[in-house]
Amino acid sequence: MNFWKQISQRWKYFTGTLFYLGFAPHAFLYSLKRDRIEQQFPPPQSDEAFDNPGKLIRAEKSSRGAYFYFEQAELEVYFLTPDLVRLAWRPGIPPVPYAIARHQWPEVETNLDEAEDSYSVSSDTLKVIVGIDGNVKFCDAAGQIVREEMPPQRKAEGWIHQALLRKEENIYGLGERAFPLNLRNPKDGRLEVKYRMWNYDAAGMYSVGSDPMYLCIPVYWGMHQQGSYLIFYENSYEATFTLGDMATADFEGGSLRYYVTCGTPAQLLERYTELTGRAPLPPRWALGYHQSHWGYRTEEAVRAEARSFEEHNLPLSAIHLDIDVQVGFRAFTIDPDRFPKLPSFTKELLQQDVRFIAIMNPGIKYSRHSNLFLEGQLLEAFCRLPNGKLATGPVWPGWCVFPDFTNPVVRQWWSRQYEYLLDVGVAGFWHDMNEPAAFILWGDRSLPKPTQHYMEGRGGDHREAHNLYGLLQAKAGYESLSHHRPHQRPFIVSRAGWAGLQRYAWTWTGDIECSWEAMRITVSTVVGLGLSGIPYSGPDTGGFQGNPSAELYTRWFQMSSFLTFFRTHSSNNVSHRAPWSYGEPYLSIMRQFLQLRYRLMPYFYTLAWEASRKGYPPVRPVFWSDSEDSRLWDVDDAFLLGNSLLVCPIFEAEARSRNVLLPKGHWYNFWDDALLEGSQQVNLEAPLEQIPLLVKAGTILPMEEAKQLILHLYPPVQGNSIGWMYGDAGDGYAESRFDVFRIVLFEEGLDLTWEQQGDFTFPYQSVKVHLHGYESQQAWIDGEEVTVEGNSLECGTFEKIYFRRLS
């Protein structure tokens, strides 16, 4: 779609909404006011600018690295682990370490060596070479240069940092982006592309190529023939990242403190999430299906929706309630006239295994009739301008004030507000409009940049705090749920955030338009978030704005069935959307995929456990399993779910087949067990009722149905394989178990062994083992002979099953 046409459509939608709701005058006045404030209080100036650090004067070894003193700057190289190093250039105000989860690290032995025109600081894994002019190179254990940086430039307050990019180098990450997975290749002919680092409300609808987005994170991967690396800038100021022949990070303020690590994709994510934190294990129900719509309004409407899922034999785990259930769109309210018996209603839903999720916006109505406003005033909890006046802006309740979440006292006060909704049975919260966003008619859709923030006591303004706002609101919410329900795992989904958000919340991809192109870009967005440390995300299935055709919604639903956050949501000005909305055959197709999602729950839950332990996102790029094959680096129309499932959605109307580039190894077709050789492109059928879904050879795929565990065995072509399954009560922090399965392949048959670990009681009444692509009629369970029927057998727990191959 033409760029200006996109802008026109978004402008018409947003301004139309404002006029319809009566907010247009507020938005006009606020836009004038914001501009006046920013002119009245310009950013402070500094005389510390320089084009380069000057010549290196001396270098000094430290306990974990070295200090380098240049004519106009200083550089500290500090090894946290042998393969993770922090570099800090001075001058500049150090950041408040909101992103950092780990502050204590084991000792690292390093060496400082001098050469003719450089020094090198090295561990046994990573070498950092610092040139006499301030250029920096990073070498891996084999001595290969994996990243080369130019001397940094100091602006009045910020920094410009550049690194050379190789011709074939791909760049991934930067948080949430509506671009192809490889951010260096926008696929529109541009030689370079810019990305803004400023969390931004898309105002009701965005399209492919919109920038910036709601959740920006200054972390990216570089992948080229000599290896791969990750760099994270610990700087929350607005920035522009330009990718062309060079990667340029241009920060408006703050310090130049950043972290670099090298390794395989798995090693990069493991190290980055060790630094910024890993997502805690979610409640098991959260991995199920969530239904939402802006427009439920009443208890009876929600009850009818839950009843319809039950009547159509569609599993459902949660219903999300939008702002239309609140009193005047006010935070922490649910209208008692329209939800007159909320405690008993949430219990009624829970008896159907459905959770009630409430929306929460940070803007507090500026009114002396609001107890929340009065409490915050007494506590001095709200953001203020440099002249001491409250920072106000129009949002859904009208003119609002905004809590300063950079103050721990304010976060504690905010945490207490969740408690009464938790007491009436609300299971989790949905944080919206927390970039923070304000209604405007032009300019930036947030608070004035001179707005003051506490920043844990050292002070700062909105230029630094803006990108942190959603992260710190999520932190306050998470701590509230943890404290008030200590035996249940918190569930929060947040629209905005920053590095480290994964410690507190999931996210969704916001107000995406309804189109085939928007559905396709969702894969890149979700995978890119995963590579930025956020493992739980997903779209508004079908698109937030617009009415998808039956085929588009069905194809989108099929794809979403394999994403971690599986939710349908839509605007209040479009048709209501649910799996039964389009009748047959679409309802049956979506039922099949929804039921498959729930049968796969042991696999999803095991991937969630892995994310909590290692930081690996369940939804992964195809190159994750074969990063040496450069053909896979640009694949963004398919994704891996864990290491075992290759998901290949359909992104075109009336398409009934598609090409798939397979990673190395062998892959079984999930639908017919056909075995395909990897490292080649194949064409696979995709009738409306299916999408191409492949299972890696060697997989032991755990599934469940009723109270039965079903182990689907996809034997390796040769050799052995291993699989595992994590289990517990599905919530809380009590006993758990870990089941390890191994396949040992022989010429005449195969062994399946099972090792059980942990204190949690095996939760299934029976076990079924099903062979795929391997025929057997005779087996021995712990030495006792049994008959295999239909390539499967039912049993209880066991230590070893031997299957004799059918000759």
Side-chain angles (χ1 to χ4, degrees):
M1 185 184 294
N2 177 273
F3 172 76
W4 291 111
K5 186 176 180 181
Q6 292 180 21
I7 295 297
S8 174
Q9 286 185 356
R10 291 173 61 188
W11 176 256
K12 284 173 63 178
Y13 167 77
F14 188 63
T15 55
T17 301
L18 291 181
F19 276 100
Y20 174 74
L21 295 172
F23 289 122
H26 293 343
F28 176 76
L29 290 174
Y30 177 72
S31 301
L32 289 174
K33 176 184 173 183
R34 181 208 58 229
D35 290 353
R36 186 173 63 250
I37 291 168
E38 293 184 352
Q39 291 171 3
Q40 184 180 357
F41 303 104
Q45 297 299 307
S46 170
D47 58 1
E48 297 174 339
F50 54 74
D51 290 333
N52 59 73
K55 291 185 178 180
L56 180 61
I57 300 171
R58 71 180 190 279
E60 295 179 357
K61 189 178 188 310
S62 68
S63 61
R64 305 179 74 104
Y67 293 96
F68 299 89
Y69 298 91
F70 294 83
E71 291 175 321
Q72 300 187 84
E74 298 177 9
L75 169 64
E76 179 188 15
V77 177
Y78 186 90
F79 278 80
L80 283 73
T81 71
D83 60 352
L84 175 64
V85 62
R86 183 184 72 202
L87 287 83
W89 286 91
R90 300 182 182 91
I93 300 173
V96 179
Y98 290 121
I100 307 304
R102 182 171 185 176
H103 299 276
Q104 302 297 323
W105 301 82
E107 291 185 7
V108 179
E109 186 175 331
T110 62
N111 297 305
L112 176 64
D113 299 299
E114 183 178 1
E116 182 178 347
D117 58 355
S118 65
Y119 284 83
S120 64
V121 193
S122 58
S123 68
D124 57 4
T125 305
L126 183 64
K127 178 187 288 188
V128 181
I129 302 172
V130 179
I132 59 174
D133 63 349
N135 73 80
V136 180
K137 299 176 183 177
F138 298 85
C139 301
D140 62 17
Q144 294 275 7
I145 297 175
V146 294
R147 177 175 167 85
E148 184 173 356
E149 301 172 351
M150 307 301 290
Q153 303 171 52
R154 173 71 170 165
K155 304 196 302 183
E157 273 197 279
W159 291 84
I160 299 175
H161 194 224
Q162 295 182 303
L164 297 174
L165 296 180
R166 304 174 196 231
K167 183 178 180 180
E168 80 281 6
E169 188 166 348
N170 280 17
I171 299 295
Y172 313 105
L174 296 184
E176 183 181 9
R177 301 290 159 180
F179 275 79
L181 182 61
N182 175 16
L183 297 175
R184 196 181 175 196
N185 178 19
K187 298 183 180 177
D188 59 6
R190 281 179 288 172
L191 298 179
E192 66 176 30
V193 61
K194 297 179 182 292
Y195 299 95
R196 188 180 174 203
M197 202 63 55
W198 186 256
N199 292 351
Y200 193 74
D201 172 20
M205 183 171 68
Y206 71 88
S207 307
V208 176
S210 296
D211 188 79
M213 294 282 284
Y214 309 93
L215 207 170
C216 304
I217 304 176
V219 58
Y220 69 80
W221 299 38
M223 184 174 290
H224 51 71
Q225 297 292 353
Q226 279 67 49
S228 56
Y229 63 87
L230 176 147
I231 178 168
F232 166 56
Y233 291 94
E234 194 184 355
N235 186 325
S236 61
Y237 277 82
E238 180 176 0
T240 299
F241 281 67
T242 303
L243 303 177
D245 292 334
M246 287 187 164
T248 301
D250 186 344
F251 289 94
E252 293 299 311
S255 65
L256 184 56
R257 182 153 85 182
Y258 59 98
Y259 303 77
V260 176
T261 185
C262 304
T264 65
Q267 289 169 338
L268 297 183
L269 251 302
E270 192 163 355
R271 195 61 74 215
Y272 172 69
T273 56
E274 186 177 9
L275 175 70
T276 62
R278 291 172 181 148
L281 186 66
R284 199 173 193 258
W285 61 261
L287 294 166
Y289 179 70
H290 302 239
Q291 176 69 20
S292 182
H293 176 62
W294 182 6
Y296 286 135
R297 290 189 56 80
T298 67
E299 179 179 304
E300 187 50 44
V302 177
R303 178 180 287 109
E305 191 83 328
R307 188 184 302 123
S308 291
F309 271 86
E310 191 172 24
E311 291 171 351
H312 288 99
N313 191 26
L314 297 165
L316 174 66
S317 291
I319 293 181
H320 292 226
L321 285 301
D322 212 319
I323 55 174
D324 51 323
V325 307
Q326 297 177 325
V327 179
F329 303 138
R330 298 187 188 189
F332 299 108
T333 67
I334 295 178
D335 192 330
D337 292 335
R338 289 181 285 123
F339 288 82
K341 297 180 179 180
L342 190 56
S344 61
F345 179 55
T346 57
K347 289 180 181 177
E348 175 189 328
L349 289 177
L350 197 57
Q351 289 172 354
Q352 301 174 51
D353 210 19
V354 177
R355 280 80 183 169
F356 185 106
I357 309 298
I359 197 170
M360 197 60 56
N361 295 344
I364 303 302
K365 187 173 179 61
Y366 189 161
S367 170
R368 294 180 63 82
H369 299 291
S370 166
N371 288 335
L372 201 56
F373 173 76
L374 294 176
E375 285 182 18
Q377 275 282 73
L378 292 174
L379 197 64
E380 297 184 346
F382 303 125
C383 298
R384 293 180 180 271
L385 301 173
N387 59 13
K389 294 183 178 180
L390 287 171
T392 60
V395 201
W396 293 112
W399 285 100
C400 290
V401 292
F402 299 85
D404 181 4
F405 295 121
T406 69
N407 186 333
V409 173
V410 176
R411 292 197 297 271
Q412 186 177 13
W413 167 72
W414 186 262
S415 291
R416 293 196 296 271
Q417 309 310 317
Y418 293 80
E419 292 182 2
Y420 94 89
L421 288 177
L422 293 171
D423 285 340
V424 298
V426 172
F429 293 89
W430 161 22
H431 289 178
D432 200 11
M433 302 292 287
N434 59 342
E435 290 71 31
F439 295 155
I440 53 93
L441 289 185
W442 67 82
D444 189 42
R445 195 172 286 114
S446 190
L447 301 182
K449 291 180 180 178
T451 300
Q452 300 295 289
H453 290 266
Y454 188 74
M455 298 300 293
E456 308 303 311
R458 76 145 163 83
D461 63 27
H462 199 64
R463 295 174 307 141
E464 182 179 13
H466 173 86
N467 286 333
L468 300 168
Y469 200 85
L471 166 71
L472 297 176
Q473 184 198 14
K475 174 180 171 66
Y478 183 87
E479 290 174 351
S480 175
L481 272 64
S482 297
H483 174 76
H484 198 68
R485 290 178 176 168
H487 303 300
Q488 294 181 348
R489 301 172 202 159
F491 176 76
I492 294 173
V493 57
S494 176
R495 192 169 79 174
W498 200 61
L501 179 70
Q502 65 270 11
R503 305 197 299 265
Y504 313 119
W506 295 20
T507 192
W508 83 104
T509 61
D511 300 342
I512 194 165
E513 70 175 15
C514 167
S515 68
W516 289 98
E517 295 81 6
M519 176 194 166
R520 189 187 192 284
I521 207 68
T522 292
V523 173
S524 298
T525 304
V526 170
V527 172
L529 280 164
L531 297 181
S532 303
I534 311 291
Y536 299 108
S537 68
D540 289 341
T541 299
F544 174 75
Q545 196 59 237
N547 292 305
S549 66
E551 183 181 12
L552 173 55
Y553 182 58
T554 300
R555 290 304 199 188
W556 207 319
F557 196 93
Q558 290 170 328
M559 177 188 73
S560 295
S561 299
F562 301 97
L563 301 178
T564 45
F565 184 31
F566 186 9
R567 182 179 79 163
T568 287
H569 179 59
S570 55
S571 180
N572 63 342
N573 61 351
V574 303
S575 300
H576 179 250
R577 191 182 308 152
W580 57 85
S581 298
Y582 300 94
E584 295 292 358
Y586 308 101
L587 170 59
S588 294
I589 294 169
M590 285 184 265
R591 181 188 294 115
Q592 175 194 10
F593 275 83
L594 193 50
Q595 291 176 349
L596 174 60
R597 166 66 171 237
Y598 279 81
R599 293 203 305 274
L600 281 167
M601 196 60 70
Y603 183 63
F604 271 98
Y605 201 49
T606 300
L607 293 176
W609 173 85
E610 188 177 53
S612 72
R613 291 297 188 272
K614 298 182 178 181
Y616 303 162
V619 176
R620 301 166 187 173
V622 177
F623 67 70
W624 184 276
S625 65
D626 190 6
S627 59
E628 294 182 359
D629 186 348
S630 60
R631 297 175 302 164
L632 299 174
W633 294 357
D634 281 320
V635 173
D636 53 14
D637 62 352
F639 59 89
L640 290 169
L641 180 61
N643 289 333
S644 298
L645 295 181
L646 178 59
V647 183
C648 311
I650 300 301
F651 302 110
E652 296 179 10
E654 300 181 3
R656 296 298 181 261
S657 67
R658 62 157 290 178
N659 292 327
V660 177
L661 181 59
L662 299 178
K664 65 182 178 182
H666 289 81
W667 297 83
Y668 289 90
N669 189 316
F670 179 84
W671 306 109
D672 63 12
D673 288 345
L675 185 63
L676 304 170
E677 188 173 350
S679 300
Q680 65 167 330
Q681 183 168 278
V682 297
N683 185 270
L684 298 177
E685 293 183 358
L688 182 62
E689 62 271 15
Q690 294 177 359
I691 60 173
L693 179 63
L694 301 169
V695 187
K696 190 172 185 178
T699 293
I700 303 163
L701 185 64
M703 299 175 70
E704 68 182 18
E705 199 158 358
K707 290 292 184 178
Q708 186 176 62
L709 172 66
I710 306 172
L711 297 175
H712 292 271
L713 308 190
Y714 295 87
V717 173
Q718 59 183 9
N720 309 324
S721 64
I722 187 171
W724 51 85
M725 181 180 71
Y726 172 83
D728 59 25
D731 205 346
Y733 305 94
E735 296 86 0
S736 62
R737 65 180 292 118
F738 197 65
D739 296 279
V740 181
F741 306 96
R742 291 181 175 85
I743 294 176
V744 179
L745 200 64
F746 305 100
E747 184 176 345
E748 67 280 4
L750 66 82
D751 278 344
L752 172 66
T753 62
W754 182 355
E755 178 186 350
Q756 302 184 50
Q757 305 169 7
D759 300 323
F760 183 68
T761 303
F762 185 66
Y764 300 99
Q765 295 176 355
S766 63
V767 177
K768 184 176 182 180
V769 181
H770 190 95
L771 289 165
H772 295 267
Y774 190 98
E775 293 189 6
S776 174
Q777 293 181 346
Q778 192 176 24
W780 285 261
I781 301 176
D782 294 330
E784 183 177 341
E785 186 174 358
V786 294
T787 301
V788 180
E789 297 183 0
N791 256 20
S792 65
L793 59 83
E794 297 193 21
C795 59
T797 59
F798 59 85
E799 292 184 4
K800 185 170 75 171
I801 300 178
Y802 172 69
F803 290 93
R804 175 177 290 173
R805 182 192 292 270
L806 185 64
S807 57

